[in-house]
Amino acid sequence: MTDPSPEQKVTEQHVEQAEKNEARLLKKKAVVDQRIAAATEERGVTILLTGNGKGKSSSAFGTMARALGHGQKSSVIQFIKGRKATGEQLFFGSHPLVDFHVMGHGFTWETRNPELEKEAAEQAWALAKSVLSDPSVHFVLLDEITYMYKYGYLNEDDLIAALNSRPAHQNVMMTGRTAPRVLLDSVDTHSKIANERHAFANGVKAQVGIEW
């Protein structure tokens, strides 16, 4: 009986490795299938996006686009007013399934007037509370809301109470760099976006279609 040739040895090694890979994938699939089978609860979820990295609001609007694709009525309340209309507002603002609200006067990145900001935050929150109790709304985006708690303009306990009493099917996304501990501990999903590099730090000017 002759020894296998180098080519045969390589082929046998490839077959053995392929069998090991297939076994590993099947084992992993079994674990995933088990988790899927165990996830039987059907309800809306709360999602919080924090961190210093770029993309929190963009991710939230992307999720809303997914909801709209399934015909789900959505509502947006932005708690920070920019210098000009954002691309999101221009695009989603006229969508028949979207109610889009930007906090009128008050908090902006350019000027600081605590009294005016608190008044505007309270008005925006009153609107948010009504949306969070509306069973016809499937998806709610509270964009940049966490800053309202950082500056003490709103009470986080009111938010938790509204989230806990909202319609069972309603999904809620919230964004902002930081968030109060009570919110971090209560949401279903929390993702933190890190900042590894940003073009602005290298002198690249903020531009339409990217920053707003």
Side-chain angles (χ1 to χ4, degrees):
M1 183 175 180
T2 59
D3 293 332
S5 66
E7 291 79 8
Q8 289 176 317
K9 287 183 178 180
V10 170
T11 299
E12 291 173 356
Q13 289 173 352
H14 284 168
V15 170
E16 182 180 359
Q17 186 61 48
E19 291 175 346
K20 288 181 179 180
N21 289 341
E22 183 178 4
R24 177 176 55 82
L25 291 174
L26 288 173
K27 184 177 180 180
K28 183 176 181 180
K29 182 180 183 301
V31 172
V32 173
D33 288 345
Q34 186 177 17
R35 289 178 179 175
I36 292 174
T40 58
E41 184 179 6
E42 292 187 21
R43 63 171 177 82
V45 296
T46 52
I47 303 172
L48 176 64
L49 303 180
T50 65
N52 295 328
K54 175 176 172 54
K56 295 180 289 295
S57 295
S58 300
S59 175
F61 278 107
T63 304
M64 186 175 76
R66 179 178 292 160
L68 292 171
H70 291 284
Q72 296 182 355
K73 183 178 178 181
S74 304
S75 183
V76 179
I77 301 173
Q78 290 188 308
F79 284 79
I80 304 290
K81 181 181 180 181
R83 291 171 294 180
K84 55 190 73 176
T86 63
E88 299 96 314
Q89 183 181 3
L90 295 171
F91 184 78
F92 290 110
S94 60
H95 195 288
L97 290 177
V98 178
D99 292 327
F100 203 113
H101 308 276
V102 180
M103 194 168 80
H105 59 286
F107 200 115
T108 71
W109 294 119
E110 289 75 37
T111 60
R112 293 302 311 277
N113 183 329
E115 291 185 5
L116 196 61
E117 291 166 7
K118 189 173 189 305
E119 179 184 348
E122 291 172 347
Q123 292 174 356
W125 172 239
L127 177 60
K129 276 207 306 184
S130 68
V131 171
L132 290 170
S133 64
D134 186 348
S136 72
V137 180
H138 285 78
F139 181 90
V140 180
L141 170 53
L142 304 178
D143 193 34
E144 311 285 16
I145 190 174
T146 65
Y147 293 97
M148 303 302 105
Y149 306 105
K150 176 181 179 179
Y151 291 104
Y153 296 153
L154 296 176
N155 186 325
E156 56 263 31
D157 291 336
D158 292 340
L159 173 61
I160 301 303
L163 293 175
N164 288 338
S165 61
R166 76 190 194 281
H169 64 276
Q170 194 178 77
N171 295 304
V172 182
M173 290 194 75
M174 297 159 283
T175 70
R177 288 196 173 190
T178 61
R181 173 50 57 184
V182 66
L183 182 59
L184 291 170
D185 291 341
S186 68
V187 295
D188 295 301
T189 300
H190 172 216
S191 295
K192 191 171 184 179
I193 300 178
N195 182 30
E196 297 293 338
R197 184 181 298 109
H198 198 295
F200 182 74
N202 293 321
V204 180
K205 184 178 179 180
Q207 57 185 295
V208 63
I210 298 297
E211 272 72 37
W212 73 89

